[in-house]
Amino acid sequence: MAQELAKQYDPSQVESTWYERWMQQNIYAFPDVPTKKPYSILMPPPNVTGMLTMGHVLNHSIQDLYIRYKRMSGFQAAWFPGLDHAGIATQSKVEGMLRETEGITRYDLGREKFVERVYEWKDKYGGIILQQLRSLGNSCDWNRTLFTMDEGASNAVREVFIRLFDDGLIYRGKRIINWSPAMQSAISDDEVIMKDAHDKMYTLKYMFEDGSGFMSVATVRPETIFGDVAVAVNPTDERYTHLVGKMVRVPLTDRYVPIIADDYVEKDFGTGCLKITPAHDPNDYEVGLRHNLPVVVSIDATAHLNEVAGIYNGLERFEARKRISKDLQEADLVVKIEEYLHKVGYSERGGEAIEPYYSDQWFIKMKPLAELALPPVMEGNIRFFPDHWTKTYEHWMTNIRDWCISRQLWWGHRIPVYYTPDGLYTAARNEEHARTKLNIGADVPLTQDEDSLDTWCSSWLWMLTTMNWLSDNETEDNDILRSYLPTDLLVTGPDIIFFWVARMIMASLYFKKEIPFKDVYFTSIIRDGDGRKMSKSLGNSPDPLFLFKKYGADAVRYTTLYLAPLGSDVKVNVVDDNGNADAPQMEFGRNFANKIWNAARFLMMKSEESGTSTTADTLSDAQLSASDKWILSRYHTTIQAVHDNLGAYKITEYTRALYDFIWKDFCDWYIEIMKVQFNQTEDAAYRQALMRFALNIFEGALKLLHPIMPFMTEEIWHVLGNRAETESISVQDLPVLDNNCISTQTEQGFEKVQLIIEELRMMKSQAGIKPSERLPLVIKCAAEDVEFFSLVGNVIATLTKNDVQSIAADVPKPDGALSAVVRGIELYLIAASAIDVDKERERLTKELERLQNLKRGAENKLNNEKFVANAKPEIIETERTKLNTAVEGMAKIEEALKSL
């Protein structure tokens, strides 16, 4: 390893080198039985089809932050990684590949051969996302990576189905489900993308049976009228209550349906009359159940109208809409047609509008499971961050619906149900097990259900399968489960609180009588500068690998978390960079990395200059200057802030505490002060002790920063300490907090010193005096502060390039002095010899007039009601900024004129 730091930080070289070493040394592996207090995290398994996104960067940076932090806090850190088989997404991708490259479908191959081809695709492309996560720096035990279709996980999924079936919680029944005509499968709510659709609202005539007129009924889908079984009105709607019980004719048919009353109908929507089509609308289906209405299916699984639709039989649904609309108008059955903007669900994979479809599916009864899963969250045994998601969780759990778990796919866990020719069936591990349960002989043929299980049927067992639960169909308990369940933290998006978080709680409590995790951190939504959610389709989602290459993974990790306060969305500005979506804000993290790198190079240079070794003594208490005591206090205050903020999941505050300490306190202030202390003596022993003191604090800061910027901190820590390649900062202990080193009084005093130095620099600048021109300085302060300011007087003088003439509690204002007041401390900079007073007064007066005009212009605009009402918010904010800037500038110039 090179024992020096390059002049410029090159993230690409450092990151690839160190990750390879970490993997070679296997330092992130953990034992089944921990030797230290365990701390565990479940990695939400990315889809096998997935590619790294900014959402992954946010989620995994948080996970890695906590795993590294806890590992360095003395815990047995256990991060369980994995990969999801992503049933419908993967099958869709492979089917598309087969069509494009070979011109065949899955049916040409048959189920067994098709599944083999999916595995081939998975082996070739499925690990890309995991490799990309390595480039982010994930410090998990990759040896434990679980694929949801692995044998052990598959055994558990099958066994859970059997147990729930035997317990009466799994049943087969007809329900309205989301149907993808393109994929020919049921899909879950999270696989439905809601988009704006510009359609037409048709108000149709439903003629009364007695010939007394018609009822106006509005619909967006006239192609579904053949499935109508009623027209509903609100029971409090006085316009229609007298019509309840009458019969009306469904347009273009000879069928009559009743008028019913139901609270679901909104009086103010459309005409207040709603056609009820239970087979093709989930809400209508619920109305139908309440009124015991029949279910008439008029659209088939291919999204074509069926025989119920008469002459429209065989027409594709949207083509049928056009034909039916034309025929309705010709039959004078249309009152009006209006443009209508509404939300329509589209299949995430197939891309087509989903069809609410009434079909035979497998379901899990959710109410008994929800009753188990609600108390732990409401009683605080499982904590949500931010807490407001608790209310959302409670609402969902108390209004839960049964879970449709069957999918008409070949890729996934095949439903373990076996049927006899005469209709008997049971859930079983295999045919032999099924025969035993059904009490039938080998001569009776059995067929297995053709459907596969919803992908979430493996995901909801994640906290168990990653720990080898039931991997052999039988083992209920093992060392891993006893050691690491419940896990400590789950980091996930709030969009899957129901699909995954709630179901994991249910499964863990039902099968293990244990909660799956203690804390759940819900990540923010990442949006672009215009507030739009990042997505590849909008072209506003940068490729993280491009950002890593341009800025470094550490910089991207740090900036992303710096911008992501708990409970708030993340806004990342996106611009084009030669065809790549770029996020210039990441330069913030890169600048921070460069600042730290340069500070490390300076410390190395001074260490070599002074001959400071890794074993050199540090400053004794007696040798500590006021500045040393200040930086030591700030260092331990920062240690406290790191623990407090990470303990409360205030991650942004953690990043800012480190930024303030490292960039501002240590680099901008202490290093400059240390130069003064270093250069004011030739005492070699003191210089070495001073450097050892500074290095100890800097290396401690590197450890605090390591969980969020692992690569750079590892490199600097190694080079500064001339450490062996087999060592790693990531398995070192975090610095120990010493409250005795924290002095609020010292920190407050030094804050005044900083303000004084900044004010003196500004006084010279405003007076047109060169920064290097040394002027006499008088400081007037409270009697109790004289000793402190006398101790730091040399620092003030050196950093402002002035000569402190006196520091006292009672001193008259010197003649020819510029003056200022900082926190009650009076500063007198004797500048008569350095400036032409008349010329300076003239310059300041002109600047004052300019600012007065700026202030007047801004006030006129902001006091103009028409301007405020019509101007864009950012323009109004610009004018307010102008006003504040002018007022502040005028105050400073007036003070300067007073000094003159």
Side-chain angles (χ1 to χ4, degrees):
M1 185 196 312
Q3 293 306 310
E4 62 179 26
L5 295 172
K7 188 173 182 180
Q8 290 186 323
Y9 176 49
D10 181 2
S12 60
Q13 183 178 359
V14 169
E15 290 167 5
S16 60
T17 299
W18 275 114
Y19 202 84
E20 186 177 339
R21 284 182 185 145
W22 292 335
M23 294 301 100
Q24 288 172 348
Q25 295 166 19
N26 204 29
I27 60 175
Y28 303 133
F30 58 88
D32 290 355
V33 180
T35 56
K36 296 176 279 188
K37 185 177 179 181
Y39 178 88
S40 55
I41 292 179
L42 298 169
M43 179 188 292
N47 284 354
V48 69
T49 59
M51 301 292 280
L52 198 66
T53 66
M54 289 304 295
H56 289 119
V57 170
L58 174 61
N59 187 301
H60 285 258
S61 294
I62 293 171
Q63 293 179 72
D64 195 44
L65 161 63
Y66 275 93
I67 277 292
R68 289 180 183 273
Y69 169 67
K70 289 296 182 177
R71 185 183 291 121
M72 297 176 75
S73 298
F75 288 80
Q76 189 85 66
W79 191 3
F80 293 88
L83 191 64
D84 194 291
H85 67 279
I88 197 166
T90 306
Q91 179 160 320
S92 175
K93 192 170 284 286
V94 175
E95 285 195 84
M97 180 193 70
L98 290 173
R99 280 195 304 271
E100 292 170 12
T101 60
E102 301 178 42
I104 61 175
T105 70
R106 59 173 161 144
Y107 300 103
D108 295 319
L109 291 172
R111 184 172 195 139
E112 187 176 339
K113 290 292 183 183
F114 175 76
V115 171
E116 287 178 6
R117 296 294 288 272
V118 178
Y119 270 110
E120 289 174 10
W121 180 93
K122 178 257 178 185
D123 292 339
K124 187 173 183 180
Y125 301 107
I128 292 176
I129 181 70
L130 298 184
Q131 291 299 323
Q132 292 174 331
L133 288 172
R134 284 169 165 82
S135 66
L136 182 63
N138 280 18
S139 62
C140 51
D141 186 352
W142 291 110
N143 299 315
R144 294 180 181 269
T145 302
L146 179 73
F147 180 48
T148 51
M149 288 290 286
D150 285 347
E151 183 180 359
S154 297
N155 287 341
V157 170
R158 181 173 55 248
E159 191 66 23
V160 160
F161 186 100
I162 295 167
R163 292 186 185 186
L164 291 175
F165 179 91
D166 291 344
D167 291 347
L169 291 178
I170 283 183
Y171 66 93
R172 188 166 179 80
K174 283 186 177 290
R175 291 287 189 281
I176 286 277
I177 45 91
N178 299 317
W179 182 261
S180 167
M183 294 301 298
Q184 282 293 285
S185 175
I187 59 176
S188 62
D189 289 344
D190 71 310
E191 293 165 322
V192 176
I193 307 298
M194 302 305 294
K195 299 179 184 179
D196 285 336
H198 293 273
D199 281 321
K200 296 185 186 301
M201 175 75 79
Y202 301 84
T203 301
L204 307 180
K205 298 178 181 179
Y206 282 62
M207 310 303 295
F208 291 118
E209 186 180 29
D210 60 11
S212 60
F214 63 86
M215 176 174 256
S216 296
V217 180
T219 181
V220 183
R221 302 193 66 197
E223 69 274 16
T224 64
I225 58 175
F226 305 104
D228 289 358
V229 295
V231 171
V233 298
N234 191 289
T236 63
D237 193 337
E238 295 178 357
R239 293 173 298 173
Y240 303 120
T241 50
H242 66 288
L243 298 175
V244 173
K246 283 194 171 189
M247 303 291 285
V248 289
R249 182 177 179 175
V250 177
L252 301 182
T253 77
D254 294 326
R255 286 192 307 113
Y256 288 89
V257 297
I259 299 172
I260 61 173
D262 194 278
D263 290 329
Y264 170 69
V265 181
E266 297 179 23
K267 292 188 286 187
D268 299 328
F269 180 78
T271 63
C273 305
L274 182 70
K275 73 187 203 67
I276 302 300
T277 317
H280 301 291
D281 184 282
N283 295 308
D284 289 6
Y285 178 77
E286 296 298 326
V287 174
L289 288 178
R290 287 194 290 273
H291 295 270
N292 197 28
L293 298 173
V295 178
V296 178
V297 177
S298 60
I299 299 178
D300 67 19
T302 66
H304 289 70
L305 274 64
N306 63 17
E307 66 281 357
V308 171
I311 62 171
Y312 306 102
N313 182 18
L315 284 179
E316 190 275 331
R317 54 183 168 166
F318 296 119
E319 181 60 31
R321 181 181 299 180
K322 295 175 187 176
R323 284 273 302 275
I324 291 168
S325 170
K326 178 174 176 291
D327 291 350
L328 284 167
Q329 292 177 71
E330 290 178 354
D332 192 27
L333 292 172
V334 178
V335 177
K336 61 181 176 178
I337 301 175
E338 303 168 284
E339 295 298 322
Y340 183 59
L341 175 65
H342 65 137
K343 295 284 187 183
V344 172
Y346 288 80
S347 168
E348 183 180 26
R349 306 302 169 186
E352 82 287 15
I354 63 109
E355 185 65 37
Y357 187 58
Y358 184 69
S359 69
D360 282 314
Q361 302 289 341
W362 287 98
F363 295 86
I364 295 180
K365 294 179 183 177
M366 298 300 280
K367 190 174 181 181
L369 299 175
E371 289 170 352
L372 287 176
L374 184 58
V377 174
M378 303 312 298
E379 294 168 7
N381 295 318
I382 297 174
R383 301 186 300 170
F384 285 176
F385 296 88
D387 180 66
H388 66 75
W389 288 110
T390 302
K391 278 290 181 189
T392 306
Y393 179 86
E394 180 185 22
H395 175 76
W396 188 75
M397 296 296 271
T398 51
N399 295 275
I400 199 165
R401 296 188 179 192
D402 288 351
W403 173 15
C404 175
I405 58 171
S406 48
R407 298 291 181 267
Q408 289 62 52
L409 302 173
W410 287 355
W411 172 245
H413 299 98
R414 192 170 177 178
I415 291 177
V417 170
Y418 295 85
Y419 302 87
T420 66
D422 58 1
L424 294 176
Y425 61 87
T426 190
R429 299 186 189 111
N430 48 45
E431 284 195 17
E432 182 182 354
H433 186 211
R435 292 181 192 283
T436 301
K437 291 183 71 175
L438 292 171
N439 194 26
I440 59 174
D443 57 322
V444 179
L446 290 175
T447 55
Q448 186 176 352
D449 198 297
E450 289 291 328
D451 289 351
S452 292
L453 289 168
D454 180 7
T455 299
W456 294 109
C457 286
S458 52
S459 301
W460 81 320
L461 304 177
W462 194 238
M463 65 284 155
L464 302 176
T465 51
T466 50
M467 300 185 193
N468 295 338
W469 179 73
L470 291 183
S471 59
D472 58 359
N473 293 321
E474 296 175 355
T475 304
E476 293 278 356
D477 204 9
N478 58 46
D479 288 337
I480 311 176
L481 286 161
R482 283 189 293 270
S483 301
Y484 299 108
L485 188 73
T487 59
D488 292 273
L489 174 64
L490 178 72
V491 181
T492 188
D495 52 330
I496 56 174
I497 185 173
F498 313 129
F499 302 110
W500 195 39
V501 177
R503 289 170 181 168
M504 279 201 288
I505 297 172
M506 295 176 191
S508 190
L509 288 166
Y510 190 79
F511 295 109
K512 288 295 292 178
K513 295 182 173 52
E514 178 65 89
I515 58 173
F517 29 69
K518 300 169 188 173
D519 293 340
V520 182
Y521 184 100
F522 292 108
T523 55
S524 311
I525 295 174
I526 303 183
R527 301 184 182 278
D528 66 13
D530 296 324
R532 301 177 303 170
K533 186 176 179 180
M534 283 191 175
S535 72
K536 290 181 181 178
S537 61
L538 288 175
N540 66 344
S541 181
D543 177 0
L545 298 181
F546 170 78
L547 299 181
F548 294 168
K549 184 176 181 181
K550 184 170 183 177
Y551 302 100
D554 279 341
V556 175
R557 286 169 59 120
Y558 181 83
T559 307
T560 302
L561 296 195
Y562 187 93
L563 297 172
L566 179 65
S568 300
D569 289 352
V570 185
K571 271 200 172 183
V572 177
N573 294 324
V574 180
V575 300
D576 180 75
D577 181 359
N578 295 319
N580 293 300
D582 189 14
Q585 282 160 291
M586 299 302 154
E587 194 166 339
F588 176 78
R590 182 173 65 183
N591 291 343
F592 188 34
N594 288 337
K595 184 85 167 181
I596 297 166
W597 189 264
N598 291 334
R601 293 186 73 248
F602 171 79
L603 292 173
M604 278 196 71
M605 178 185 71
K606 285 298 181 182
S607 295
E608 291 169 2
E609 181 184 329
S610 61
T612 305
S613 69
T614 56
T615 58
D617 291 333
T618 187
L619 294 172
S620 66
D621 289 348
Q623 290 176 299
L624 293 175
S625 68
S627 301
D628 298 329
K629 291 177 181 176
W630 165 73
I631 197 64
L632 189 62
S633 178
R634 287 290 304 122
Y635 172 58
H636 284 276
T637 298
T638 302
I639 295 173
Q640 182 70 65
V642 165
H643 294 315
D644 289 348
N645 287 323
L646 290 183
Y649 295 104
K650 294 180 178 179
I651 297 170
T652 294
E653 289 80 350
Y654 154 78
T655 64
R656 292 179 180 178
L658 288 173
Y659 184 88
D660 288 345
F661 175 73
I662 296 173
W663 185 301
K664 297 178 182 177
D665 295 336
F666 191 84
C667 295
D668 281 356
W669 288 101
Y670 186 70
I671 282 182
E672 296 305 310
I673 293 167
M674 192 190 72
K675 291 177 186 177
V676 176
Q677 297 182 169
F678 188 91
N679 293 328
Q680 70 186 3
T681 179
E682 295 297 325
D683 184 340
Y686 171 78
R687 282 184 165 187
Q688 290 176 5
L690 177 64
M691 289 310 305
R692 186 71 263 154
F693 174 79
L695 284 166
N696 287 347
I697 288 179
F698 186 69
E699 288 191 356
L702 290 177
K703 291 178 180 178
L704 296 174
L705 185 65
H706 176 76
I708 190 59
M709 301 183 85
F711 297 110
M712 180 196 64
T713 52
E714 182 78 274
E715 176 74 4
I716 295 174
W717 183 78
H718 268 80
V719 176
L720 278 183
N722 194 28
R723 295 175 170 93
E725 289 184 13
T726 53
E727 295 183 85
S728 174
I729 190 175
S730 62
V731 292
Q732 304 301 309
D733 291 335
L734 289 173
V736 177
L737 172 66
D738 185 349
N739 285 307
N740 293 323
C741 293
I742 297 177
S743 169
T744 304
Q745 184 177 357
T746 299
E747 292 189 30
Q748 290 175 345
F750 211 86
E751 186 180 346
K752 293 177 185 176
V753 172
Q754 292 170 315
L755 293 172
I756 287 170
I757 291 170
E758 290 169 349
E759 184 64 32
L760 288 169
R761 288 170 174 169
M762 191 185 306
M763 288 168 69
K764 278 187 174 181
S765 174
Q766 288 182 341
I769 301 171
K770 292 179 181 178
S772 58
E773 187 165 353
R774 303 190 74 85
L775 299 174
L777 171 65
V778 174
I779 300 176
K780 182 180 180 180
C781 60
E784 61 268 21
D785 291 335
V786 170
E787 181 180 359
F788 173 77
F789 284 110
S790 297
L791 291 173
V792 296
N794 186 43
V795 171
I796 295 173
T798 304
L799 296 184
T800 61
K801 295 182 174 60
N802 293 309
D803 296 313
V804 177
Q805 197 172 70
S806 66
I807 300 173
D810 187 15
V811 59
K813 177 183 177 181
D815 293 333
L818 301 173
S819 65
V821 180
V822 175
R823 298 275 181 91
I825 301 157
E826 297 177 35
L827 307 175
Y828 300 111
L829 195 59
I830 303 171
S833 61
I835 60 173
D836 181 328
V837 175
D838 291 336
K839 192 173 182 180
E840 180 62 15
R841 183 178 289 112
E842 182 183 353
R843 184 187 72 80
L844 290 174
T845 302
K846 286 182 179 179
E847 177 63 12
L848 182 62
E849 289 174 358
R850 185 187 73 82
L851 291 175
Q852 287 171 337
N853 289 333
L854 183 67
K855 173 176 177 284
R856 196 176 298 114
E859 284 178 334
N860 288 340
K861 287 183 178 179
L862 293 172
N863 291 331
N864 185 326
E865 293 181 3
K866 188 175 180 181
F867 171 80
V868 173
N870 296 322
K872 292 181 178 179
E874 55 266 31
I875 294 176
I876 296 173
E877 188 58 35
T878 298
E879 292 302 319
R880 286 185 179 136
T881 301
K882 283 183 186 176
L883 178 60
N884 293 334
T885 301
V887 170
E888 290 173 6
M890 288 166 56
K892 289 178 180 177
I893 290 176
E894 287 167 351
E895 185 64 32
L897 285 169
K898 191 185 297 182
S899 297
L900 291 173

